[in-house]
Amino acid sequence: MLRHSKVKSYIILLLALLLVMAPVFSVNGAGGANVSKVQDNELVISTLNDTGSIDDIKVLSHMRVSGNGNVTIQDQSQYKLKSVRNLYGSEKITQKDGALGINFKLGSGEGHQDVYYLAALDKNEISRATMPVSIKVSYFLDGQQIKPSKLAGKSGHLKIVCEVENLTGSKKTLEFKNNKGEMVKSEAMVYTPYVVSLSGWEFDNKKFSAIQAPGVAEESPEGVIVDVQGKTSVSWSVPLVPPKYPAKQYVVLEADAKKIELPSYKIAVIPIVPTTSEIDSLGTVQESFGKLYDAFDKIQGGVGTPAQDATLLNGLNAVKNGLGQVSDGMGSLVEKLTAIRLGLSNPKFDVGTYNSATGTDAKGNTPAVREAITISKNALDEKITPALEGQKKVLTVMEATMGKPGGEVVQPSLSTSLYNDVSFMQGLVKGTPAEDVITKAMAPKIMAMGANLGVLRDGGNLVTAGGSMPFPASINAIAAGVEQISSGLGKANSGVGMIALGLGQIGADGKPVKVMMDGKPGSILYALAYLQESIDGKMVPGIDMLSEGTAKIGDGSSQAKEAITGGLEKMMAAPAIVSALKDNASQANSFLGKPEGAEGTVAYVFQTPEVNTAASAMNYGLGAIVLALIILFAIGRPKSPSQFTEVNKEM
């Protein structure tokens, strides 16, 4: 049994040696004895039954007392004990009022004495025993959970899952300096640090193959598999040290098996803060986080708020406001240009039904400039110009009616001229006073009137009583002027039409009609409306989206700062947490109890049931006790090898 357990004992032996190196302090004895040091080291051995519950708890205790004289040490026990046995000494151990009395004979000089005793808890006490770490071992064969007692002799795919959980977490207030050098307090869940060692799980290669011990990041550590001389050994080290490692983890072993037999495996639980050779880069990471925090702070400061000067959001808000003013200005310009456009040409006005008396068309629409020009030109072309032509004809007829000298005088009739008729009358009154009136008064007036009629029609010098004078306002001159006005009005009409066309058409809704030329707005009004629509419909929403995105950058920077601050706080709190872990570990120094004023250490071993058709509870119980004795013998040897043999026989 000892030879079979040798490999298993090495790791547990090393951990136990670390535990017993803890310092102790003085305790005064009675009856003249002087006790300078008391050390109480406990190894709690829990046996798991077929259902995975703890079936039996034994505590292997090593007590070392240093000093001189004879003294009785009272070792406290918080649980009722079924039995207590001094394993290889003759010292008497008594039980009274929940305490064990142990007699020590230290001699006259400074010395020490070791006592190793095994205490078994009463069965009724097991249910209330407080374990700092829970251990649950489950067995599966071909995917179906099975009790270990049912595994013996079976074949198939074996899977063993061991779930471990640190149950010691409690909230503590930590004090430390933050990244600003300020002393702060923070509440954190602090555990007593435990390392679970599942070592030396051996499997006979004749019965087990394809052995695996897979791990899952942040949940389950991967096992170390070693194949030596026909046996495969699997080991795990599971630190249950939050926040570095999860408080709850599990290990998995899988193998193809035939005629299954398994020894009783040992699971050691030791309170310790693991020390590794890992290089501490916390300072560098902390400095990098500080720089990252500063960078996000600058980003957040650059993003700013709409009301904060010299920031991106303030600038975007100013751009948006400016675009709004531009849009408003364009809207006002479109309204004014629309009014101008409608003043230049009214598309609703019907020239053909214009009524000069009302100044409107048949539907009551008033003419704009272009329509007024059209009406004026039509009036010139259709009324004034024909009237002037008629006047010219009338003047020509009147000029012919007046007549001129030089023609043959004939008998007056309706077709003869006035000058012919006056000349005819002059011949009739020749030699009378009437001849003189006709010659000097009537004939010259008729001749002047006939000439003036020609001047009125064609222009020239107008004959008056006082002489002749230029007369530019002839009918021909007026007709020529009217023709020029008509021509000018026609050109003005075309020009106004071009202006109206350039400004653009107005729809029935009073808005510019869409006109595109070569893919671009084809009128001023539509271009302005298009630009305003682009500002209101695209640029302003674009600015809003840009502002929203920028605000998200600012919010993201703020959140990043908070996260970095939290990370920095955790980094700054790390030494305080480590200190609290070490303090908790130092206080995890007893299971049963210890003498007043003594220093103590405690470790735990959980052992699984042996899977063997011939196995019994006594077999694996004895194996655990023998293994524990090996650990304690490394601390203090018995007086003679024969005593160890005798103890084995008794057990």
Side-chain angles (χ1 to χ4, degrees):
M1 175 66 71
L2 291 176
R3 185 167 53 253
H4 184 68
S5 303
K6 187 175 181 181
V7 175
K8 304 176 189 176
S9 68
Y10 287 155
I11 295 175
I12 299 177
L13 174 60
L14 177 59
L15 295 172
L17 286 174
L18 292 174
L19 291 174
V20 302
M21 295 302 289
V24 298
F25 51 87
S26 297
V27 177
N28 292 325
N34 180 39
V35 178
S36 60
K37 298 179 181 179
V38 176
Q39 180 75 30
D40 189 4
N41 302 317
E42 295 178 336
L43 186 63
V44 182
I45 305 165
S46 300
T47 303
L48 303 178
N49 60 24
D50 205 32
T51 64
S53 301
I54 296 177
D55 188 60
D56 180 73
I57 298 177
K58 291 182 173 65
V59 180
L60 186 58
S61 181
H62 161 225
M63 185 175 293
R64 171 172 288 184
V65 179
S66 300
N68 58 72
N70 297 331
V71 65
T72 298
I73 299 296
Q74 298 295 319
D75 193 0
Q76 302 296 322
S77 175
Q78 62 175 327
Y79 299 108
K80 183 180 179 181
L81 302 179
K82 180 177 67 175
S83 64
V84 180
R85 181 180 300 177
N86 189 332
L87 292 178
Y88 64 93
S90 59
E91 295 81 7
K92 185 179 179 180
I93 303 176
T94 62
Q95 293 190 63
K96 185 179 180 180
D97 298 330
L100 301 177
I102 308 172
N103 297 322
F104 286 87
K105 297 179 180 180
L106 303 177
S108 58
E110 180 71 22
H112 70 268
Q113 185 178 357
D114 294 300
V115 172
Y116 297 85
Y117 67 84
L118 182 67
L121 266 67
D122 188 278
K123 286 288 185 182
N124 295 326
E125 293 287 88
I126 293 175
S127 61
R128 77 178 190 89
T130 301
M131 293 291 177
V133 174
S134 69
I135 304 292
K136 180 182 178 183
V137 183
S138 303
Y139 300 81
F140 300 85
L141 185 65
D142 294 329
Q144 299 296 318
Q145 189 167 359
I146 187 172
K147 292 182 178 180
S149 61
K150 303 294 183 180
L151 277 173
K154 288 185 168 55
S155 300
H157 184 75
L158 175 66
K159 181 178 180 180
I160 303 176
V161 179
C162 181
E163 299 173 78
V164 296
E165 182 177 4
N166 191 331
L167 304 175
T168 64
S170 63
K171 288 185 177 181
K172 286 190 175 182
T173 300
L174 306 177
E175 291 189 13
F176 57 92
K177 288 184 178 180
N178 61 16
N179 60 318
K180 297 179 181 179
E182 302 167 339
M183 186 63 70
V184 297
K185 293 182 179 181
S186 177
E187 193 175 69
M189 185 70 75
V190 179
Y191 291 74
T192 299
Y194 282 94
V195 175
V196 179
S197 175
L198 302 90
S199 60
W201 287 32
E202 291 185 350
F203 299 87
D204 190 338
N205 290 349
K206 293 179 181 179
K207 293 188 175 184
F208 298 92
S209 61
I211 298 174
Q212 299 179 35
V216 177
E218 301 183 4
E219 294 182 13
S220 171
E222 184 176 358
V224 178
I225 301 175
V226 179
D227 188 348
V228 178
Q229 296 181 348
K231 290 186 180 296
T232 297
S233 177
V234 185
S235 300
W236 296 265
S237 180
V238 189
L240 300 178
V241 190
K244 181 69 173 178
Y245 302 95
K248 186 176 183 179
Q249 301 181 51
Y250 62 91
V251 299
V252 177
L253 181 135
E254 295 190 61
D256 293 330
K258 57 184 179 181
K259 296 181 180 180
I260 296 174
E261 286 187 327
L262 296 171
S264 175
Y265 294 123
K266 309 300 180 287
I267 303 169
V269 179
I270 304 98
I272 187 173
V273 178
T275 301
T276 69
S277 59
E278 179 184 4
I279 297 174
D280 185 6
S281 59
L282 184 61
T284 302
V285 175
Q286 185 175 324
E287 182 181 358
S288 299
F289 270 16
K291 292 180 179 178
L292 189 59
Y293 179 92
D294 292 340
F296 279 117
D297 188 55
K298 290 179 181 178
I299 292 173
Q300 186 182 20
V303 169
T305 65
Q308 187 177 357
D309 290 339
T311 62
L312 185 55
L313 282 176
N314 178 260
L316 290 172
N317 190 55
V319 171
K320 180 181 177 180
N321 291 337
L323 288 174
Q325 293 175 357
V326 171
S327 176
D328 292 342
M330 286 185 175
S332 177
L333 183 58
V334 167
E335 290 178 3
K336 289 179 173 55
L337 287 177
T338 299
I340 292 173
R341 168 63 179 82
L342 293 175
L344 288 174
S345 179
N346 185 354
K348 297 180 180 180
F349 182 76
D350 183 9
V351 175
T353 63
Y354 174 69
N355 184 341
S356 60
T358 61
T360 62
D361 62 8
K363 294 183 179 180
N365 298 312
T366 58
V369 173
R370 189 180 186 192
E371 289 73 39
I373 291 174
T374 301
I375 292 171
S376 299
K377 187 175 186 306
N378 290 345
L380 290 174
D381 294 342
E382 297 174 4
K383 295 181 179 180
I384 296 177
T385 298
L388 291 175
E389 289 298 325
Q391 290 177 1
K392 287 167 62 177
K393 291 180 179 180
V394 169
L395 291 174
T396 300
V397 172
M398 290 178 65
E399 183 184 19
T401 300
M402 290 297 176
K404 295 179 180 179
E408 181 180 358
V409 178
V410 297
Q411 180 69 32
S413 64
L414 289 175
S415 61
T416 58
S417 66
L418 287 175
Y419 189 81
N420 176 77
D421 294 345
V422 168
S423 296
F424 184 82
M425 288 176 62
Q426 185 180 18
L428 293 177
V429 295
K430 188 173 175 67
T432 68
E435 178 184 8
D436 190 49
V437 172
I438 291 172
T439 300
K440 294 180 179 181
M442 294 180 65
K445 289 178 181 178
I446 291 173
M447 289 180 61
M449 185 175 292
N452 286 341
L453 288 173
V455 170
L456 178 60
R457 185 191 60 208
D458 301 326
N461 292 323
L462 187 64
V463 179
T464 67
S468 64
M469 55 179 298
F471 181 74
S474 64
I475 298 300
N476 278 340
I478 293 173
V482 168
E483 185 177 353
Q484 290 178 355
I485 291 173
S486 177
S487 176
L489 289 174
K491 293 177 180 179
N493 190 23
S494 298
V496 171
M498 292 298 293
I499 293 173
L501 182 63
L503 286 172
Q505 298 179 6
I506 305 299
D509 56 358
K511 296 182 179 180
V513 175
K514 180 179 179 180
V515 179
M516 300 295 290
M517 297 179 63
D518 299 328
K520 300 176 183 179
S523 70
I524 294 175
L525 283 172
Y526 181 68
L528 291 172
Y530 180 83
L531 185 56
Q532 184 183 25
E533 182 181 352
S534 297
I535 291 174
D536 294 341
K538 295 181 180 179
M539 294 183 71
V540 170
I543 294 293
D544 286 338
M545 288 188 287
L546 187 58
S547 297
E548 184 179 350
T550 302
K552 288 181 180 179
I553 293 174
D555 291 342
S557 298
S558 176
Q559 293 173 8
K561 282 172 60 181
E562 291 179 5
I564 292 171
T565 299
L568 284 171
E569 184 171 316
K570 288 182 180 179
M571 288 182 180
M572 301 300 289
I577 293 176
V578 172
S579 177
L581 288 173
K582 290 181 178 179
D583 183 57
N584 282 3
S586 67
Q587 294 180 30
N589 53 23
S590 178
F591 173 74
L592 284 179
K594 62 181 188 300
E596 185 178 353
E599 290 290 334
T601 62
V602 63
Y604 301 83
V605 172
F606 295 81
Q607 56 180 8
T608 64
E610 183 178 357
V611 178
N612 189 312
T613 54
S616 66
M618 179 59 71
N619 286 341
Y620 62 71
L622 180 62
I625 295 172
V626 171
L627 178 60
L629 283 172
I630 293 174
I631 297 174
L632 295 181
F633 278 143
I635 303 169
R637 295 180 178 278
K639 295 179 180 178
S640 66
S642 62
Q643 289 175 307
F644 177 67
T645 305
E646 291 174 359
V647 171
N648 268 319
K649 288 179 179 179
E650 291 178 4
M651 299 171 59

